[in-house]
Amino acid sequence: MTQDIVTPRDRLIVALDVPDVAAAQAMVARLGDSVSFYKIGYQLGYAGGLSMVGDLVRSGKRVFVDLKLHDIGNTVANGVASLARLGATFLTVHAYPQTMKAAVAARDASRQKTGSSLKILAVTVLTSYNDEDAHEAGYRLGASEMVDMRARQAQAIGVDGIVCSAEEAENLRRILRPDIALVTPGIRPAGSAVGDQKRVMTPARAIASGVDYLVVGRPVIEADDPRAAADAIVAEIAAALSEKPVA
Ligand code: C5P
């Protein structure tokens, strides 16, 4: 996975959390070459945003489709095949073994059939869940035990990466192989507004914790100068990488 990363800029994924395609296209134009990787989630995806995936890919960008799939295996597999045809680079699924197995099998089939380079990321436990929420939902284990268990299952099944909080990253980096990508939201450059994120981390600390890709939304897209905000994060990533001891 980490062989896909060539420059510090490749590690910044900007969340296009905007209401419609026109706003997303305007933001992409404004960011220009300061951003090479975009995330499309529920808000934009369900407002026609998946139609942008092909255009972004043709213009040399990479796209993370964050639709967190979870359904019967056949439906998951068909969804993965469709997204692979669009040219997406990352797709999230919930970390249920059946769902992950279906997604990984469909990823491999798409790779063979179309040369797709789609990678599957697993969402272990939503970071809004604590132990009480997990028990209320019928789980025996607490949230952090479930994160560890599901991350190990994801690796065994052949998933390419894990979406995790910056706080979970250090532990996951220890228990997972180095080629499993860690992709982390909740990143806030020093001095920026925290918004509704409860647990935040600076880009530098995230890199030091072993995170591969940083997902950043509002600190870039709501900045007065989004381009400058993206450049500043990339500079912070580059500085943190140069300080990081080689593993
Ligand atoms: O604006 P902000 O930087 O908080 O955006 C973070 C992005 O990452 C959003 O698109 C959000 O859906 C996503 N995300 C998150 N926390 C998670 C998982 C995903 O903030 N635990």
Side-chain angles (χ1 to χ4, degrees):
M1 174 63 53
T2 35
Q3 71 270 22
D4 291 347
I5 300 174
V6 181
T7 69
R9 200 173 298 280
D10 299 332
R11 295 176 181 267
L12 171 64
I13 302 178
V14 170
L16 282 172
D17 293 333
V18 294
D20 53 48
V21 171
Q25 285 170 334
M27 182 53 64
V28 169
R30 220 172 148 191
L31 286 165
D33 57 12
S34 67
V35 173
S36 65
F37 210 152
Y38 286 102
K39 179 170 95 72
I40 296 179
Y42 285 3
Q43 185 185 19
L44 180 60
Y46 292 138
L50 295 181
S51 65
M52 288 180 66
V53 177
D55 294 338
L56 283 168
V57 170
R58 279 186 290 278
S59 70
K61 308 295 184 193
R62 294 197 289 168
V63 184
F64 168 7
V65 176
D66 186 16
L67 291 182
K68 299 185 179 71
L69 306 191
H70 183 44
D71 208 310
I72 59 168
N74 184 57
T75 303
V76 168
N78 288 333
V80 170
S82 293
L83 288 161
R85 274 195 298 274
L86 289 181
T89 293
F90 285 162
L91 167 67
T92 40
V93 303
H94 283 282
Y96 288 80
Q98 223 183 65
T99 295
M100 294 191 286
K101 283 177 194 164
V104 163
R107 172 203 67 191
D108 291 345
S110 296
R111 203 172 278 172
Q112 281 200 327
K113 257 190 243 157
T114 67
S116 133
S117 53
L118 180 69
K119 300 207 162 54
I120 304 296
L121 304 180
V123 176
T124 54
V125 178
L126 295 170
T127 50
S128 57
Y129 273 57
N130 59 23
D131 289 352
E132 208 177 305
D133 297 308
H135 296 146
E136 192 184 0
Y139 295 105
R140 183 171 42 86
L141 300 179
S144 67
E145 291 167 302
M146 268 165 66
V147 169
D148 281 17
M149 186 192 80
R150 291 179 168 184
R152 289 180 204 272
Q153 287 173 332
Q155 173 172 275
I157 287 167
V159 159
D160 302 286
I162 305 285
V163 178
C164 65
S165 75
E167 282 180 345
E168 290 159 358
E170 216 161 312
N171 178 45
L172 290 180
R173 191 75 292 163
R174 247 194 322 267
I175 67 176
L176 298 175
R177 291 193 316 265
D179 62 309
I180 302 288
L182 297 183
V183 180
T184 300
I187 302 294
R188 290 293 177 272
S192 68
V194 169
D196 60 357
Q197 295 281 14
K198 294 204 176 67
R199 287 167 294 177
V200 299
M201 205 179 255
T202 61
R205 278 201 54 208
I207 292 291
S209 303
V211 169
D212 297 295
Y213 292 91
L214 286 64
V215 177
V216 185
R218 290 162 290 183
V220 170
I221 67 172
E222 291 181 2
D224 291 337
D225 184 344
R227 214 187 148 94
D231 283 341
I233 293 170
V234 171
E236 194 176 333
I237 293 172
L241 285 168
S242 67
E243 282 165 22
K244 204 175 156 182
V246 178

